[in-house]
Amino acid sequence: MILPAGYSDDARTLWDVATALNRAAAAVSPHAAALPPLLFFTDPDRTPRPWETAARLPAGSAVIYRAFGAPDAVETGRKLRETTTKAGVRLLIGLDADLAQAVSADGLHLPERAANRAPAMRAARPDWLLTAAWHGGATTTEGLDALILSPVFAAGGASATKPPLGTEDFNARAARAALPVYALGGIDAVNASRIIGACGLAGVDAIQAAFGEPPKLRT
């Protein structure tokens, strides 16, 4: 999909790189072709109105809603479900399978510590897209569709205290992984093209900045 007129140059760059990575991954592993090229991670502090960004994501992308126990999680999840359905965007819920069921999400994203829950979730919901965080060490892959490796570059949020992998280390780990791997952490329109071997891009701030404003028609 080519973005229509009005999107920012940063949005175009992120989407073009993400879709190019996805096509390259699919040429090696056909399973990757069914994965969203671009993942927008929500964060309670940094993305207080995630449905606004979700509404402007390209069709075929996905949102990963991380509620972190927020009291309005169901309300926000349902608002995201309504928005993503209209936009042709998939919705995954972080860790909370009950919330995913309640809002009719398309899947679940597991933190690395909970990746071992994937086989049970796959058995219970074979239709769900299942991803898990990965920080480069030994991890389980059974039952999962993809891993999300971070941080590639210096990042904010929960990854702020973790040393960045850098592109060389990321590329090497992604090449050895048993599953398709997304790149996450400090990725923006400037450095995204340095990533090799990923099945797509994931992010918080850069995606919100690039897609968070309504497209403006050029005059």
Side-chain angles (χ1 to χ4, degrees):
M1 172 188 172
I2 298 175
L3 291 183
Y7 279 91
S8 69
D9 290 342
D10 284 357
R12 291 182 183 284
T13 296
L14 289 171
W15 182 242
D16 288 348
V17 171
T19 53
L21 287 169
N22 186 261
R23 287 194 299 270
V28 177
S29 173
H31 170 69
L35 297 173
L38 192 69
L39 303 179
F40 170 51
F41 274 77
T42 74
D43 179 274
D45 296 323
R46 292 186 284 164
T47 64
R49 298 174 64 83
W51 52 88
E52 293 181 353
T53 300
R56 296 163 192 141
L57 292 176
S61 305
V63 174
I64 295 181
Y65 172 46
R66 300 181 294 177
F68 295 127
D72 62 346
V74 173
E75 178 185 355
T76 299
R78 286 175 175 162
K79 189 175 292 187
L80 278 168
R81 175 72 288 180
E82 180 181 2
T83 301
T84 54
T85 298
K86 290 179 180 178
V89 170
R90 281 189 269 187
L91 175 64
L92 278 66
I93 302 298
L95 183 60
D96 191 337
D98 290 338
L99 177 59
Q101 295 269 18
V103 303
S104 301
D106 300 301
L108 202 66
H109 173 71
L110 300 169
E112 190 170 24
R113 69 181 185 278
N116 59 0
R117 299 185 192 179
M121 294 309 309
R122 174 64 64 207
R125 291 301 303 258
D127 57 317
W128 272 4
L129 175 62
L130 299 178
T131 65
W134 180 37
H135 300 295
T139 191
T140 182
T141 59
E142 184 182 357
L144 293 168
D145 293 296
L147 296 170
I148 300 174
L149 178 56
S150 70
V152 183
F153 305 106
S159 294
T161 60
K162 297 182 176 69
L165 295 165
T167 52
E168 184 174 346
D169 196 2
F170 172 86
N171 297 342
R173 291 173 189 271
R176 296 194 300 267
L179 291 175
V181 177
Y182 285 91
L184 170 67
I187 296 166
D188 56 30
V190 175
N191 59 33
S193 61
R194 295 166 53 192
I195 295 166
I196 299 171
C199 65
L201 301 178
V204 182
D205 296 319
I207 294 178
Q208 179 173 241
F211 292 94
E213 294 296 326
K216 296 179 177 60
L217 295 177
R218 295 177 180 176
T219 58

